[in-house]
């Protein structure tokens, strides 16, 4: 019998393990339930105000709750759940088992894809609930939310590789998650000279510009991922 290509790939095994590990976590389930619940409430409120809003603004308003929630708290959600995606394996020495079974690049990619698929599934569930409630789907907002989460996932992965202790990445991840949205919003709308270049270090100015500018968010994510692969290849396990 012919085997399915990639079915036995260690990278996909790592990806599946990370994906299901997150879904088995009580903290993850509470986070997902919180996002879905808030999104449903905002969507329901906008639906009740339908008589007072133009049809075009009404269609965007249903996804407004998800967008604001992910923009302000998306980094915090990602860092709180995935701050230790690599250093957890290093601290427990289980990384030695992984590096003997597959390449280090595949370990990084497997971890990244597992976390990314988890958040993609969360966004599909959240937007699915809104769609089931009001029969509208805002593809642009969905894309922006996923882009921001991918940026945060790549940064969390790099952070967990650079800093060896999970307790340190937990603290630093929360600090970054709180500073990042504030810095992004300040630099996007401020006239301060420093804001002119600081805004290009965060994803929020690219989200505000929209269109092809959002591609820079994915370029940042790719840069974080490549840096993680480079550092992991040079690290003793």
């Amino acid at each position: 019998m012919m085997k399915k290509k990639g079915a036995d790939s260690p990278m996909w095994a790592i990806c599946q393990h990370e994906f299901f590990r997150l879904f088995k976590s009580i903290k993850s389930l509470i986070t997902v339930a919180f996002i879905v619940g808030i999104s449903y409430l905002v969507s329901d409120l906008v639906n009740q105000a339908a008589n007072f809003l133009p049809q075009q603004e009404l269609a965007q308003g249903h996804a407004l709750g998800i967008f604001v929630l992910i923009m302000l708290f998306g980094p915090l959600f990602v860092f709180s759940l995935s701050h230790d995606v690599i250093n957890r394996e290093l601290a427990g020495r289980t990384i030695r088992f992984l590096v003997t079974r597959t390449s280090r690049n595949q370990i990084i990619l497997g971890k990244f894809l597992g976390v990314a698929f988890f958040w993609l599934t969360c966004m599909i569930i959240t937007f699915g609930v809104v769609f089931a409630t009001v029969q509208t789907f805002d593809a642009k907002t969905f894309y922006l939310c996923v882009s921001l989460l991918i940026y945060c996932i790549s940064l969390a992965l790099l952070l967990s590789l650079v800093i060896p202790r999970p307790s340190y990445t937990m603290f630093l991840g929360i600090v970054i998650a709180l500073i990042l949205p504030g810095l992004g919003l300040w630099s996007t709308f401020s006239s301060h000279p420093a804001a002119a270049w600081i805004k290009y270090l965060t994803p929020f100015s690219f989200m505000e510009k929209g269109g092809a500018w959002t591609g820079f968010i994915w370029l940042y994510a790719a840069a974080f991922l490549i840096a993680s692969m480079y550092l992991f290849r040079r690290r003793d396990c």
Side-chain angles (χ1 to χ4, degrees), residues 19-73:
F19 177 82
F20 289 115
R21 187 193 68 81
L22 282 169
F23 264 111
K24 289 177 183 176
S25 165
I26 296 296
K27 191 165 63 173
S28 300
L29 294 177
I30 292 174
T31 301
V32 174
F34 177 76
I35 296 172
V36 173
I38 293 295
S39 302
Y40 173 80
L41 288 175
V42 172
S43 177
D44 188 54
L45 287 173
V46 172
N47 206 34
Q48 291 180 24
N51 295 331
F52 305 99
L53 295 173
Q55 193 62 34
Q56 186 177 359
E57 292 184 11
L58 179 65
Q60 296 174 344
H62 287 133
L64 180 64
I66 307 174
F67 181 71
V68 173
L69 192 66
I70 295 301
M71 191 172 67
L72 295 179
F73 298 106

Side-chain angles (χ1 to χ4, degrees), residues 59-60 62-64 66-67 70 116-131 136-150 207 214 218:
Q60 296 174 344
H62 287 133
L64 180 64
I66 307 174
F67 181 71
I70 295 301
F117 281 138
F118 168 78
W119 283 108
L120 181 61
T121 304
C122 292
M123 286 297 98
I124 291 173
I125 293 172
T126 305
F127 278 82
V129 168
V130 173
F131 179 78
T136 61
F137 178 78
D138 190 337
K140 180 183 175 182
T141 302
F142 178 83
Y143 172 68
L144 290 176
C145 290
V146 171
S147 299
L148 175 60
L149 292 172
I150 290 293
M207 295 173 71
T214 55
W218 293 81

Side-chain angles (χ1 to χ4, degrees), residues 8-229:
D8 297 330
S9 166
M11 183 186 75
W12 289 112
I14 294 169
C15 171
Q16 291 175 23
H17 178 269
E18 197 64 34
F19 177 82
F20 289 115
R21 187 193 68 81
L22 282 169
F23 264 111
K24 289 177 183 176
S25 165
I26 296 296
K27 191 165 63 173
S28 300
L29 294 177
I30 292 174
T31 301
V32 174
F34 177 76
I35 296 172
V36 173
I38 293 295
S39 302
Y40 173 80
L41 288 175
V42 172
S43 177
D44 188 54
L45 287 173
V46 172
N47 206 34
Q48 291 180 24
N51 295 331
F52 305 99
L53 295 173
Q55 193 62 34
Q56 186 177 359
E57 292 184 11
L58 179 65
Q60 296 174 344
H62 287 133
L64 180 64
I66 307 174
F67 181 71
V68 173
L69 192 66
I70 295 301
M71 191 172 67
L72 295 179
F73 298 106
L76 184 61
F77 294 149
V78 171
F79 279 107
S80 63
L81 296 181
S82 302
H83 66 92
D84 59 347
V85 66
I86 295 294
N87 59 19
R88 181 184 67 247
E89 305 282 1
L90 291 167
R93 300 188 183 278
T94 50
I95 198 71
R96 293 181 177 178
F97 173 77
L98 294 177
V99 296
T100 58
R101 298 300 181 97
T102 187
S103 70
R104 299 191 178 205
N105 285 350
Q106 290 205 19
I107 293 173
I108 294 294
L109 285 175
K111 292 284 187 180
F112 169 77
L113 290 173
V115 180
F117 281 138
F118 168 78
W119 283 108
L120 181 61
T121 304
C122 292
M123 286 297 98
I124 291 173
I125 293 172
T126 305
F127 278 82
V129 168
V130 173
F131 179 78
T133 307
V134 294
Q135 305 298 308
T136 61
F137 178 78
D138 190 337
K140 180 183 175 182
T141 302
F142 178 83
Y143 172 68
L144 290 176
C145 290
V146 171
S147 299
L148 175 60
L149 292 172
I150 290 293
Y151 175 98
C152 295
I153 292 166
S154 302
L155 184 56
L157 191 83
L158 178 60
L159 188 70
S160 73
L161 190 60
V162 172
I163 300 175
R165 293 190 179 184
S167 57
Y168 291 172
T169 50
M170 179 68 180
F171 173 75
L172 189 57
I174 290 174
V175 172
I176 292 174
L178 294 176
I179 290 176
L180 195 61
L183 190 64
L185 292 173
W186 171 78
S187 60
T188 299
F189 299 106
S190 174
S191 58
H192 193 280
W197 59 270
I198 288 178
K199 67 180 181 181
Y200 293 111
L201 300 177
T202 73
F204 300 99
S205 62
F206 301 122
M207 295 173 71
E208 188 269 334
K209 291 176 181 293
W213 285 96
T214 55
F216 283 95
I217 301 174
W218 293 81
L219 285 178
Y220 266 110
F224 294 148
L225 202 56
I226 291 170
S228 299
M229 291 178 180

